Each structure stands twice: as structure tokens, then as C-alpha cells.
Amino acid sequence: MNDHANTTDSAIAPASTRRPSRKGLGWIALAIAPIVLSGCQIPGFGINEGVTESSHKVYKLWQGFMVTGLIVGGFTFLLIVYAAIRYRRRNNEIPRQTQYNTLVEVLYTVIPTIIVAGLFYFTIVVENPEVAVIKNPPAKVKVVAFQWGWRFSYPENPKVNIVGQTTENPELIMPVGETIQVDLSSLDVVHGFYIKEFSFSQYAQPGVVNKFDFKVDKVGEFQTQCTQMCGLYHSLMYFKVKTIPASDYHQCLTSSNSGDEFVACANKTTPALYHRNTATQGATVHHG
Amino acid sequence: MKFEARLLIWLGVFIGIMGIVYGVWSKEWGGTAMLIGTGILGIFPGLYYRWWSKRIGERPEDRDATMAEGAGRIDTFPGSSIWPFALGMGCWALVLALVFGTWFAVIGLPLVIFAVSGATAESRRGGDASGH
Amino acid sequence: MVDTLQPTTEHAHGDDHGHDEHHGASGLLNWLTTTDHKIIGMNYTVTSVVMMLLGGAMAMLIRAQLTVPDGGLVSLAKYNELFTMHGSIMIYLFAGPFAFGGLANYMVPIQIGAPDMAFPRLNALSYWLYLTGSVTMLLGFFTSGGAANFGWVGYAPLSNAVNAPGAGADLWIGALILTGFSAIFTGVNLVATIFYLRAPGMTMFRMPIFTWNMLVTGILILLAFPVLTAGLVMLYCDRHFGTHIYDANGGGSPVLWQHIFWFWGHPEVYILALPFFGMVTEIIPVFSKKPLFGYKGMVFATITIAALSTGVWAHHMFTTGVVLLPFFSFMTYLISIPTGMKFFNWIGSMWGGQVQYTSAMLFAIGFLLTFLIGGITGILLASPPLDFFTHDTYFVVAHFHSVVIALVIGAMAGIFYWYPKMTGRFLNERLGKLQFWLLTLGGLLFVMPGYLVGLRGMPRRMAVYIIDPTWQNLNIWSSIGGFLMGISMLVFAANALKTLKAPKTAGPNPWDGHTLEWFTTSPPPHHNFYSLPNIKSERPTWDYFHPDAPALTHDDHDPSHVPGAVKADAQ
Ligand code: HEM
Ligand SMILES: [Cu+2]
Ligand SMILES: [Cu+2]
């Protein structure tokens, strides 16, 4: 949890430097303090850690951004409301006609610059490993989207093809604990390959093959669907991701003669854990 | 007029430089072409205005001036004209021809030609719509 | 002190000929043949507000459909048409035309002391192209295949002849070509007017900030729109002439469409936003009885935004996997700086002032608060790792609606501010305040659940969400917010209709305004001015009416002075 505290602390540092220069801002400090002081307890702000190596880093990045955003946004919000109320019209006197104040103007140029420089830095730190792909991945899957379904095929065993349309909800099986590389493309229009618990999405496009790696660390089942508008049945273009221990994965994959067999085998090794309505990720979780 | 010209030139140059950086870094020709094209789109009128500003010198609106200094300047504006409407309808027919078939163009094309010549003739007669 | 600028007219026009005094058959002819920027501006304003109401009505249907997971109100196919047309109408037919065709057309010439736009006939043509373009787009609903249904972004290849065979798609393309040219003509006109028709003494750095914003908007239109028009022509060729420009199977590239679309589309975001920035920047100082704080800084921030806005387009394409992530992320962070700075100009303008809570001012403050939310979430989206899991979810819908709802609120600020100038009549302030609360709180209630449900994985453009019925609660809240906004628009319509019978009591300068439009009558005469004051600063009207007011101050010249202790030395 240490590096995670670091991320947020340094991300908010520039914002806090402007606090002393204004009054009435103790309120912000008060509001933010519990969050900052509680360290590891920073809330997820609507997302969870996810189940891949990258998604954990993305989670911390998100926390850092949200804390920074709340401080900067809250500060500005309160300043607007404060100015509007504190300086409401009381009489018809003409106030001092202040037009420029170099110090203030320099401050509100420099401070935001420092803040966004920090944000950009942490973005790059998380982004580079997330989009990097390794040379010889131990597992590979080819994902092809089409109107309105998905085909998952595994180069390791050409007999294994999993195909499903709309609410047939085809299953994409992935190993836990080792890197799997996805080759993503589309037969017709642009589709969106999105897995919430991986905190990731990518377009499936005709004429483009997108490659990316996942290193999943939890067993589970994750319901998802196409996210990019792709025509009539876009809202019904489902698929499901199932992650199983790597040993089971390879054993099932090599022993199966069809996609159906592979799915059945995978489901046998790991009971269906998933319950969309109550859980966002596998209920009982063991690290692969 | 000097600042106006400079504004366009700076914008164009900035976008052009961005285009070069982007092109070298990304090797993606579509965006590079659009950036550099857009840069040129800024620089060209900017250069024109620069040339023009040198020719006409400083105008009363470029410096401290009283209203009286503008009194000699006369701009002419057309009071009213049917040609924009006619041209608009012609263009509309042409666009509908793209959708519903060429027979719309049979209405649209003559209307456009008629309206453009009408507007030009109107300008010749003195209803010049330009600022100068 | 008052000298006159006398423009001549070709035809003898009654000089105090107001725009709303046409009657009968000759009235119709006058309307068709007018080249007066004020009448054209009014036409634009009214048409675009009608478009907003239409697009809003579609939004109501969308929100009603989403109150239950399995829809049932409209079919999957109709739903796709609805959100496509809602988005297209709001972006292409409301926000832009309202700002640069409507209020800017009306106000910019007056603000710089000009008798009309530089090219009045081109201006009229621009309106006719806009009107016919709007009709063309709506015609789609009456074709057998229905309206366009591929989203307002028209991504290839969903928009090709195979996937979108109907006439609705062609009508959509045709409409965008027409409105695209209309925008370009207005852009040309704005730039030429501001460059050539300023009154003596109205130097660039004495121009009202709204005019500055419109100048930069005009330039951006000229830089961005040609690209879109070219892209649309190619799309049409792909659909009908057998080219394969965006067709991967024919050697083309679907991603190219995205590049072209967003190369226009991101500057377009600023083409939409800058005018509204300009409006509130005009309004806040007036109702604080202060000059704009940091005028020059704001001008340079606006120019910087224009320059950078051409280099950020692919932040809409982070998940394509084929764009240079660090470049576009970096550029997006850069552009957030000048955008963020504006907030402090606005706050600084209120600071130490006498803030008067007119409806216009309330709307302006509402704009700041709503836009702030959209701005902060925009910063999150500029980070590719965070965009990856929010892209194409309701998080993004909520983000850009925070922005566009701010624009609607800003539009209301502009309308309440300039309505007396354009009509001579006041809008009802009490109804205005009621509308303010409905619109702002409704807007918040609409977007906030959207952020949450987006983070919980709800994709956008979903006609049904039986995949996860737990999203329903948040959607219901969001719909309630949407309906409140709908009601606020009815309040506005009632307010506007009510004024039709009201007496013209506004007078030339009801708000103690700063800029030249408040120097002339309400509504202004045919060529705008009977007389003009000398222009010595960016507040000529203020200077004229407050000859003894304290002079402008630069706080650094007076080190004893700190912000917050302003009141003490007023007078
Ligand atoms: C009463 C106010 C509004 C409500 C309730 C509303 C509602 C919605 C909803 C629910 C969607 C998402 C549809 C979907 O993805 O399934 C949407 C999309 C959209 N809205 Fe709005 N909206 C409102 C106002 C506006 C305004 C003022 C603008 C622009 C100026 C706007 C522009 C858009 C755009 C561009 C889209 C995307 C369309 C697409 O996905 O292709 N909306 N709106
Ligand atoms: Cu799809
Ligand atoms: Cu889809």
C-alpha cells in the first residue's frame, strides 16, 4: 500500500501550496483531511481495484486523480460561491475597479501548470506498462467482433473456437497468473471490447489488429458487452470473461476438441462464482 | 491591422510546427497533412493581411482616435437582396439531388447560376457587400 | 463628446426600422430579402432555440426509455435514430448556430460600433443554408428507412452504404454540408467584420471580450470546418460512387474518418464553448460593477486555446490503439491550463465587487459551477489509462453533458442579458429564477447518476440494459433530472411568450452595461447607432456614463492593497 500513498500525496502536493494564500479555505482542508489522513483508506470513487496487474495501478491512478480533482474542483467551487455571496450587492457604490494583479495572475497560471504536469507524469508512469506487449506470451487469444457477436479462438489449439451472438453470451476463457495476449479485430464495423474489472477497453476495428496483454490475478466471471455503437443489436452484444488458474487453462485448452468442450472443461475446474447483481468480481478469490 | 495579421500568422505557424512534431513522432500521415494544411490555412490570410496592413498603414481603429476621425469613412451596405435566399434554395436543391436523385439538380443548378449572376450584377450596380 | 459615424445605405430604409415591425405580404418579402444582421441574428436565435426544444424533446424520449431496463417505449431501431438525431441536432443545429449565428451575429457588429456585418448578403445566405440544412436533417424521420442511426459521429464503416443504406444517412450528410458552409460563411463574416469594421479608437485590445471570443471562434471555424466538409464529401463518395476511402476491405482506412471527424470535432468543442465563455465573461463584470479581471490574460488564454485545440483531436480516439497516446494526452493537459485560468478571471471579476443576482448573473454563476464539473472530469478523461475504462460508457455521456448543459445555462444567461437589447422588453425575473433552479439542479441530477452508472459499466447508446438491471435506480434519478430540465425549458417558453405583449420598458442601458450595444436604443435602429461615444478603453459605455468613477487599477502599483480588502477604498 505504500506506493499508493505516494502517488496520491505527490499528486495533491501542488494544490495544497495555494491554500495559505486564501482565506475561508480551512473548510476544504477540513473536508479533505479525513480522506488524506486515512492513507490507505482512500475510497475507490466508484471503481474497484480490478483483477489485473494493470488495473491495480490504474486504480491508484484514479484515486490520485480523484483526490486532486476534488481538491482543485472543490477549491474553485467554493471560491466561486464565496465570491458570489461575500460580494453580493449591498449598495450602489462603485467598487474599486481592479483590473490586473500580476501576482495573482501568475499564480493561477503557474499552479495549474504544476498540477497538470504532475498528472501527466503519473499518467505516463501507469500508461507505458499498461499498453506494452511482451514478445512471447505464454497464452494467446484472438478476438474477432462482428455484428453482433464475438469469436474467440486460441492459436495454441486451432480446434478451439468459441462463437456466440447477441445474448448467447460467448465465454472468453483466460488464465490467471500468466500473461495472455489478445489480438483484437473486427469483421465489419467498429465494436468496443470492454472489461470493467480489467479497467480496460479497446476498439475492435476492421483493418486494424490491436494487441494488448493482461495479467489476471483473480479467478472469476465477468459479464460485459460491446461498448461502441455497432448497429441495431448493439445493446445486446454480450460476452462473458472467465478466468481460471493457468494450469487448468492449459490443460483444458490442449485436451479440448472444440470451443464447447473448452468452455465446459473450464467451467468444471472452477465453479461458477459470478453473480452479477451482488458482486463486481469473483466472490471467493484465490491468487493464481 | 498589424496585430490582426500577426494573430493569424502565429496561429498558422504554431499549428504547422505542431504538425511537423506530430508527423515526425507519429508517422501518421492523415493527421500530419491536416495539421500542416490547417497551418497554411492560417498563414496565407495572415500574409495577405500583413501586406494589406503595410499598404493602408495605421487606421483610426488601430490607435487612440476620436469618432470624428472616422467620419470621412463611408461603408456601403446593400439594403436588401433576394439573391441570398434564391442561392440558398438553389444550394438546398443541389444537396437534395445528392439524396433523392439528379432531377433536383435540374431545379438547383439553374437557380444557383441565376442567383450568383443576380448577386454579381447587384454588386456591380453599387450594392457592394464588401466592407470596402 | 458624441460624434457620429454615418454609414450610407443603398436603399432608403426608414432609419428607426426595427426588426419586428414587418407585417403582411411585404413583411414576408422583407424577411426573405433582409440583409440586416439584427434580423438575421434574430432568425438564427429563434430557429436554434426551436432546434434545442426539438432535440430536448428527443432527450425526454431517451430518458423515458431508460427508466426501465427493457425499454419498451421505442424499438431498438428507433432508439438509435433518436440519440443520433438528439446529438446531431444539439451540436450541429443548436449550440453552434445559436452562438455564432444568433447572438454573435446580432451583438458583434454593435459591440465594435459597426453598422452591419462586413458581408451582409453572405450573412443572409448563411442563414438560409442553416435553415435548409436543419430541415434536411429532420426530413430523415419521414423517409422509409428512418433518420440517420449511427451516432452523431457517423463512424465509418457503420455509416457506409451497406450498414446505413437509407436516405436518412444521405440527408444527414447533406445537412452537415449545408450547415458546414453556413458556419464557414458566418466565420468569414465575423473575422472580416472584426478586422475591418471597428469604430475609430476600437483597437484590438479594447474590444469587448465577447467579440474577442467570437473572433477566435470565427478563426477556428475557418480552420476546422473545411476538413469536415471534405470528409463528408469523401463519405458520400464511398456510399455512392464506389470509392473505398474509409473501407478497410477496399484498401481504405475506417480510422481515417475518425481522424478527420475529430480533427474538426475537437476544435468544434471550442467553437461551441468559446462563445458561451464570452457571454458569461461579459455578464459577470457587468453585474459585479467591475471591469473584467485580467482582460489581457484572458485574451491570450483564448488564443492559446484556439492554437492548441487543433492538436488534441485524438483524445477521442485513445481506445483505437493506433494513436500516439502521450502526444494527445500532453496536448490535452496543456489546453486545460488556459481553460482553467478563465475560472480565476471570472472569480477575480466578482471579487470585491457588487454582485447583483439578476437572472442573467445567476445563470452565469450556474454556468461556472456546471462547467467546472465537466472540466474536472475532462481532466480525468485526458489520461489514457483512465479513459480506457470510461470511454463509451455513461461516464463520458455525463462528462460532456456537464459541459453542454453548462452551455445551455450560458445560453440562458446570454438570452436574459441581451433580450432587453434585442426586443426592448424584459424577461420576467421571477420566472427566470425559477428556471435557473430547475435547470441547474435538474442538470446536476441528470449528470451525477450518469457518472456513477458509467463507472459501474453501463455503455452509452444502449436502447435496453437487461444485461444489468441494477443500473435502473441511477437511471431513474438521471431521468428525473432530465425531466426537470425539460420543465425548465417550458418555463422559459412561457416566459418568452409572456413578453410578446409586454411594453417596451428596457431603455438603452438597463444593466449599466460596459460595451457599445448599451449605448444605442433597444432594439437598435437600422444601422445600429445614432451616435457613438469616444472609445478610450474596453468599456466605452461605462466610461461615458461614469465619468467620475474610480479609474482602472493595476493592483501591483499599489502594494498596500490586497484582494479581499477592496471595499474600504471604493470611491
Ligand atoms: C434536457 C437535456 C438533455 C438530456 C436529458 C440529454 C440526454 C441524453 C442522453 C440520455 C444521451 C445518451 C443516449 C445514449 O447514449 O443512449 C444523450 C446523448 C447526447 N447528447 Fe444529450 N441530453 C440533453 C441535452 C443535450 C445538449 C444541450 C446537447 C448539446 C449541446 C446534447 C448533446 C448530446 C450528444 C452529442 C449526445 C451523443 C449522441 C450519440 O451518442 O451519438 N445533449 N443525451
Ligand atoms: Cu458491437
Ligand atoms: Cu456495439
Side-chain angles (χ1 to χ4, degrees), chain A residues 97-120:
Chain A
Q97 300 291 299
T98 310
Q99 192 176 25
Y100 295 105
N101 182 318
T102 313
L103 179 68
V104 173
E105 291 179 68
V106 167
L107 276 182
Y108 67 60
T109 314
V110 171
I111 294 174
T113 308
I114 296 171
I115 295 176
V116 299
L119 295 180
F120 180 68

Side-chain angles (χ1 to χ4, degrees), chain C residues 59-60 62-63 66 79 83-84 86-87 90-91 94-95 151-152 394 397 400-401 404 408 446 460-462 482 485-486:
Chain C
M60 296 302 107
I62 293 173
R63 281 310 338 166
L66 294 176
Y79 187 84
F83 70 70
T84 302
H86 161 72
M90 287 298 199
I91 302 284
F94 159 61
W152 79 284
Y394 263 85
V397 174
F400 70 70
H401 277 83
V404 295
V408 174
F446 165 54
R460 63 193 286 200
R461 300 164 173 163
M462 295 273 278
M485 294 174 66

Side-chain angles (χ1 to χ4, degrees), chain A residues 18 22-23 45-47 58 61-62 65-66 68-70 72-77 79-105 108-109 112-113 116 119-120 123-124 126-128 130-131 147 167 187-190 192 194-196 198-208 210 223-236 238-239 274 276-277, chain C residues 76-77 80 83 149 155-158 163 248 254-255 258 286-296 319-322 325-326 329-330 333 336-337 341 343-345 347 350-357 365 368-369 372 376 379-380 383-386 388-389 391-393 395 454-457 459-464 466-468 470-471 538-539 542 546 549-556 558 561 563-564 566-567 569-571:
Chain A
R18 66 153 66 121
R22 307 274 191 185
K23 55 181 184 172
F45 300 107
I47 75 168
V58 169
L61 185 70
W62 173 254
F65 267 61
M66 282 303 284
T68 316
L70 284 174
V72 174
F75 170 80
T76 316
F77 195 98
L79 209 56
I80 294 169
V81 173
Y82 174 79
I85 294 175
R86 162 76 173 75
Y87 298 108
R88 67 186 173 281
R89 183 164 298 187
R90 296 205 167 85
N91 52 41
N92 276 331
E93 254 170 51
I94 294 178
R96 191 186 158 91
Q97 300 291 299
T98 310
Q99 192 176 25
Y100 295 105
N101 182 318
T102 313
L103 179 68
V104 173
E105 291 179 68
Y108 67 60
T109 314
T113 308
V116 299
L119 295 180
F120 180 68
T123 292
I124 294 301
V126 175
E127 172 189 300
N128 284 344
E130 189 182 21
V131 297
Q147 282 172 319
T167 51
L187 285 185
D188 36 51
V189 302
V190 184
Y194 163 74
I195 307 169
K196 173 172 139 2
F198 290 16
S199 295
F200 191 76
S201 80
Q202 200 87 155
Y203 281 175
Q205 295 159 113
V208 177
N210 274 329
Q223 180 61 55
T224 184
Q225 69 279 300
C226 173
T227 46
Q228 171 63 30
M229 171 64 191
C230 54
L232 188 59
Y233 293 107
H234 161 62
S235 46
L236 298 175
Y238 301 169
F239 71 103
Y274 178 78
R276 176 89 193 193
N277 295 356
Chain C
L76 298 186
N80 290 352
F83 70 70
N149 59 4
Y155 272 12
L158 194 60
N163 291 300
V255 181
Q258 295 186 32
V286 166
F287 291 111
S288 306
K289 279 208 177 303
K290 281 190 59 198
L292 169 61
F293 181 74
Y295 171 91
K296 285 195 179 135
T319 61
T320 56
V322 294
L325 300 176
S329 176
F330 182 72
Y333 280 121
S336 72
I337 298 169
M341 281 163 63
F343 277 96
F344 298 96
N345 294 108
I347 295 167
M350 291 193 279
W351 207 266
Q354 296 261 21
V355 178
Q356 187 185 5
Y357 300 147
I365 295 171
L368 300 197
L369 299 179
L372 178 66
I376 296 279
I379 301 249
L380 302 173
S383 175
L386 304 184
F388 287 162
F389 69 91
H391 182 72
D392 271 343
T393 71
F395 190 88
L455 292 177
R456 286 172 58 182
R460 63 193 286 200
R461 300 164 173 163
M462 295 273 278
V464 293
I466 35 193
I467 189 167
D468 193 341
T470 63
W471 293 333
E538 62 271 19
R539 297 191 298 170
W542 168 276
H546 299 277
L552 293 176
T553 27
H554 194 305
D555 271 352
D556 302 331
D558 180 6
H561 178 78
V566 184
K567 290 291 286 300
D569 41 19
Q571 291 284 298

Side-chain angles (χ1 to χ4, degrees), chain C residues 457-512:
Chain C
M458 180 165 170
R460 63 193 286 200
R461 300 164 173 163
M462 295 273 278
V464 293
Y465 51 96
I466 35 193
I467 189 167
D468 193 341
T470 63
W471 293 333
Q472 185 179 9
N473 283 342
L474 288 169
N475 271 294
I476 289 176
W477 284 113
S478 189
S479 293
I480 294 173
F483 297 145
L484 287 179
M485 294 174 66
I487 295 171
S488 83
M489 287 303 147
L490 296 181
V491 173
F492 172 68
N495 200 345
L497 290 179
K498 239 182 77 162
T499 62
L500 289 182
K501 288 202 219 94
K504 295 192 179 186
T505 53
N509 189 8
W511 310 127
D512 196 5

Side-chain angles (χ1 to χ4, degrees), chain C residues 424-441:
Chain C
R425 303 171 171 110
F426 287 107
L427 282 164
N428 183 300
E429 282 285 311
R430 289 182 64 180
L431 285 180
K433 280 168 192 161
L434 174 67
Q435 189 203 349
F436 165 75
W437 290 109
L438 283 172
L439 183 57
T440 311
L441 296 181

